[in-house]
């Protein structure tokens, strides 16, 4: 039995905001199924009593004084923008036609 | 006159600091070499001739006015992996998404290099967003291995490793999430070090898998790597995971190692990293390296790390999961590529169409795999289990380092494979990282140092040395001692001169 169907891959692509083609879906569905088969091996040793590790270095919150420091200017922040208007990022409309 | 491109960084620095040659001369020699051979290697995505010469002139000017060099490698040229931001200089991460992006700020690594008077020649090619083991996933074409241009230079930092092997630069910077410094070093006969996680700042390192990514030094000798390590390492308030502790004494350790005595050092051979799947020539090279370590006075024992075989599957859950979150920033709104912004598409459609157009196949695969592993219903079975394996691997390392000072293994199971051979088979490609991943998951330090050429195909093999977190200096002592006993390797590389179109 396969781990993941073509429809599930299409759903993942939608969640991940990737407008994949029909042809890509065919390829990715097979490959992801194969990869999931291989990585599922982690289940063999992941017993209930083992704590998870999210990070190699034990992390605590890092605090600093809330002081104004030099940062990017508005012009620098917008310098890589695909589109800008009146000192702001210009974005496409948020709502679709049907909305 | 000596060919300046054949010198090590420390030799070049000595000549520059004694004012026998200028940094401008050294820089021009490397720029000329790049112009001559890079058409055949494709190590560089961008060459910053003006910026490099300006940095070199600054070093020469300071020395001429009698000032001390600002660092032991001031004036020495370097190749910078294109995943670290450079203010006003293109930073693409090997992706179409960032094709024309000019970052408005320098990464901390970039800043430290500039402050140390290191001359940044340009930006090196890489697998897109550092996802890959061959540099074939670059949107700008593969880099070729200078030992055999039909073969891969490793990945993701294939541009950095190839630039060293092609004598285009004596120093380079790489980043290592699952082996992207060490595996390229192994297959090109160069030295690469993944420092302890948190040892080098990640500020301005475009994130792939934040809990694993680590920048480090690449060079043609262990001492050169140590000199570069000291320049880029150290605490940085701009990275909350940066370690607030002194940098391990890596240069002192490398110099001690060069004396060729490893008496009192305990070396553990990882039992799990041999056998099926390991190329016989790689295995023989590794066994010869272990024998050489014994000859140098080291005590060698076999150590079992039973969970290391689960590192690869755990990595291919953790890294894609973190990548699916990190790469959400490429949303076509604030910087980078935007397509289909023609008034008929909504923001969400523009986002999806842009990401479809901007990302390559491997990046898409990993984003979807990570999205899946993190989704409710699958989280415990996949991502949760992978995090438990991470604990088990850390425990294996802790137990091993109670018995030995360093662990050794082959860096990667085979020599450089042919371009195209694994590109459509992700699982075969992932095997290249089999031996390097445990050190990323546990966050400790690891190095690849050349262990000669495989007797069956004449291609370079790497010896991996692993040390506990914050004990990076042990890598350099053992690595330098082994290097001096083994003797030079890169002088056996086929000549590239005159290959350019």
């Amino acid at each position: 039995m396969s781990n993941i169907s073509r429809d599930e891959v299409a759903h993942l692509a939608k969640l991940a905001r990737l407008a994949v083609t029909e042809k890509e879906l065919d390829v990715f569905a097979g490959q992801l199924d194969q990869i999931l088969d291989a990585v599922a091996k982690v289940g063999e040793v992941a017993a209930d009593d083992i704590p998870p590790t999210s990070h190699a270095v034990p992390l605590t919150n890092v605090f600093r004084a809330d002081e104004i420091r030099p940062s990017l200017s508005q012009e620098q922040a917008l310098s890589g923008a695909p589109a800008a208007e009146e000192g702001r990022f210009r974005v496409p409309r948020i709502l679709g036609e049907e909305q | 006159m000596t060919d300046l491109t054949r010198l090590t960084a420390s030799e070049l620095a000595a000549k520059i600091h004694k004012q026998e040659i200028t940094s401008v001369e050294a820089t021009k020699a490397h720029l000329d070499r790049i112009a001559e051979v890079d058409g055949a290697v494709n190590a560089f995505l961008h060459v910053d001739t003006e910026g490099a010469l300006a940095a070199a002139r600054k070093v020469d000017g300071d020395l001429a006015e009698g000032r001390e060099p600002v660092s032991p490698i001031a004036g020495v040229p370097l190749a910078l992996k294109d995943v670290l931001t450079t203010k006003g200089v293109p930073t693409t991460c090997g992706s179409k998404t960032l094709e024309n992006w000019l970052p408005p700020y320098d990464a901390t690594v970039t800043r430290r290099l500039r402050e140390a008077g290191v001359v940044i020649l340009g930006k090196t090619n890489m697998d897109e967003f550092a996802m890959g083991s061959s540099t074939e996933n670059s949107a700008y074409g593969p880099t070729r291995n200078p030992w055999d241009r039909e073969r891969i230079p490793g990945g993701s930092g294939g541009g950095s490793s190839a630039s060293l092997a092609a004598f285009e630069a004596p120093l380079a910077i790489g980043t290592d999430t699952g082996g992207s410094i060490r595996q390229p070093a192994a297959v090109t006969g160069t030295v690469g070090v993944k420092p302890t996680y948190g040892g080098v700042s990640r500020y301005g390192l475009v994130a792939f898998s934040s809990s694993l990514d680590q920048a480090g030094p690449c060079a043609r000798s262990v001492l050169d790597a140590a000199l570069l390590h000291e320049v880029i390492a150290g605490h940085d308030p701009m990275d909350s995971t940066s370690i607030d502790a002194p940098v391990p004494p890596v240069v002192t350790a490398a110099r001690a190692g060069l004396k060729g005595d490893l008496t009192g050092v305990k070396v553990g051979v990882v039992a799990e990293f041999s056998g099926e799947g390991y190329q016989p020539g790689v295995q023989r090279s590794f066994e010869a390296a272990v024998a050489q370590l014994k000859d140098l006075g080291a005590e060698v024992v076999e150590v079992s790390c039973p969970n290391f075989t689960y590192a690869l599957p755990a990595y291919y859950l953790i890294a894609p999961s973190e990548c699916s979150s990190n790469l959400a920033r490429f949303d076509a709104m604030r910087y980078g590529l935007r397509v289909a912004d023609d008034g008929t598409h909504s923001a969400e459609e523009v986002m999806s169409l842009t990401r479809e157009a901007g990302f390559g196949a491997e990046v898409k695969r990993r984003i979807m795999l990570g999205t899946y592993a993190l989704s409710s219903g699958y989280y415990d079975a996949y991502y949760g289990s992978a995090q438990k394996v991470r604990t088990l691997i850390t425990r294996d390392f802790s137990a091993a380092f109670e018995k030995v000072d360093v662990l050794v293994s082959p860096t990667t199971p085979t020599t450089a494979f042919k371009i195209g051979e694994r590109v459509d088979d992700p699982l075969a490609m992932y095997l290249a990282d089999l031996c390097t991943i445990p050190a990323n998951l546990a966050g400790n330090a690891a190095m690849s140092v050349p262990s000669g050429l495989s007797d069956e195909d004449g291609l370079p093999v790497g010896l991996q040395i692993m040390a506990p977190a914050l004990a990076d200096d042990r890598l350099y002592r053992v690595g330098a001692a082994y290097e001096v006993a083994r003797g030079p390797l890169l002088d056996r590389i086929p000549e590239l001169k005159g290959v350019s179109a």
Side-chain angles (χ1 to χ4, degrees), chain B residues 327-394:
Chain B
L327 271 66
R329 76 192 59 198
F330 300 106
D331 59 5
M333 298 300 142
R334 293 153 300 153
Y335 62 112
L337 183 70
R338 176 187 286 181
V339 303
D341 182 16
D342 55 9
T344 71
H345 294 97
S346 68
E348 188 182 321
E349 289 163 347
V350 167
M351 215 179 276
S352 298
L353 291 164
T354 300
R355 288 162 63 83
E356 169 66 11
F359 292 149
E362 181 63 15
V363 172
K364 289 178 194 170
R365 260 193 300 271
R366 294 204 196 184
I367 288 175
M368 287 193 283
L369 183 60
T371 306
Y372 182 77
L374 292 176
S375 47
S376 68
Y378 300 107
Y379 182 96
D380 288 341
Y382 291 109
Y383 186 68
S385 295
Q387 286 190 311
K388 289 181 174 190
V389 169
R390 206 166 172 181
T391 305
L392 295 173
I393 284 159
T394 306

Side-chain angles (χ1 to χ4, degrees), chain B residues 395-440:
Chain B
R395 286 179 186 172
D396 278 1
F397 269 122
S398 303
F401 288 133
E402 278 176 21
K403 290 177 250 170
V404 298
D405 300 308
V406 294
L407 289 167
V408 293
S409 76
T411 304
T412 180
T414 68
T415 54
F417 45 91
K418 288 221 162 89
I419 289 174
E421 198 176 290
R422 300 190 187 179
V423 79
D424 293 321
D425 186 352
L427 282 174
M429 185 70 87
Y430 297 171
L431 286 175
D433 303 330
L434 191 61
C435 312
T436 44
I437 282 172
N440 298 89

Side-chain angles (χ1 to χ4, degrees), chain B residues 22 28 61 111 123 145 201 231 257 290 320 371 383 486 491:
Chain B
T22 63
K28 279 186 174 162
R111 177 176 59 79
K123 307 296 290 288
N145 190 325
S201 171
V231 162
V290 170
T371 306
Y383 186 68
R486 190 213 64 231
D491 54 0

Side-chain angles (χ1 to χ4, degrees), chain B residues 270-275 278 283 286 308-309 311 408-410 434-438 464 466:
Chain B
V270 180
E272 283 73 16
F273 287 157
S274 63
Y278 290 79
Q283 194 65 43
F286 175 67
F308 277 17
T309 47
V408 293
S409 76
L434 191 61
C435 312
T436 44
I437 282 172
Q464 179 177 228
M466 294 172 273

Side-chain angles (χ1 to χ4, degrees), chain B residues 446-459:
Chain B
M447 166 189 281
S448 180
V449 61
S451 68
L453 303 179
S454 165
D455 54 21
E456 67 222 331
D457 56 19
L459 292 166

